[in-house]
């Protein structure tokens, strides 16, 4: 799928989440986009899959040091060198609000773990309950009523 189409889907997910009233967002996403990167990425992964876009992994990384209070973590989706990040703007040094790019130098500043399934529905446990609920709320704006 062309990068333009992937970017369009990413922007649609970002817009759908941002359009919800703050009180409608689950607690982990109540300050969207800040602190919402993991959940937003997993929701985007489900949207990609449902739109026929396959091959993306959920990537989590961190940078900085806890000793000097610069440590932070972040999450995004990746398909090989292609990075898709709909919450980059929670960081002051991010080059854009939404990033769809190959070999993102900014993302390279994070030390990453091995990629995981990008669709939250493949994950198990009570920590995903709010994602199921949230995705059902988002579906009409993503796919039409």
């Amino acid at each position: 799928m062309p990068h333009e189409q992937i970017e369009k889907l990413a922007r649609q997910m970002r817009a759908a989440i941002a359009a919800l009233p703050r009180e409608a967002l689950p607690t982990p996403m109540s300050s969207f986009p800040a602190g919402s990167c993991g959940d937003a990425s997993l929701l985007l992964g489900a949207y990609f899959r449902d739109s026929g876009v396959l091959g993306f992994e959920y990537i989590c990384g961190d940078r900085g040091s806890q000793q000097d209070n610069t440590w932070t973590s972040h999450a995004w989706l990746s398909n090989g060198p292609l990075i898709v990040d709909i919450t980059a703007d929670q960081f002051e040094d991010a080059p854009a609000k939404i990033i769809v790019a190959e070999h993102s130098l900014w993302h390279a500043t994070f030390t990453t773990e091995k990629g995981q399934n990008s669709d939250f529905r493949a994950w198990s446990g009570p920590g995903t309950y709010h994602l199921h609920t949230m995705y059902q709320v988002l579906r009409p704006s993503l796919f039409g009523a």
Side-chain angles (χ1 to χ4, degrees), residues 78-100:
S78 174
N79 186 342
L82 181 61
I83 302 288
V84 180
D85 184 343
I86 62 171
T87 61
D89 59 329
Q90 67 183 297
F91 295 95
E92 290 181 14
D93 66 330
K97 180 177 184 175
I98 297 171
I99 297 173
V100 179

Side-chain angles (χ1 to χ4, degrees), residues 32-48:
F32 183 82
S36 304
C37 53
D39 288 347
S41 295
L42 290 169
L43 289 165
L44 180 61
Y47 184 41
F48 276 178

Side-chain angles (χ1 to χ4, degrees), residues 5-29:
Q5 184 63 25
I6 291 170
E7 183 170 353
K8 179 181 176 187
L9 294 173
R11 290 187 180 284
Q12 287 172 339
M13 175 59 78
R14 167 72 186 231
I17 295 170
L20 292 175
R22 293 283 175 192
E23 60 274 7
L25 295 172
T27 302
M29 297 185 75

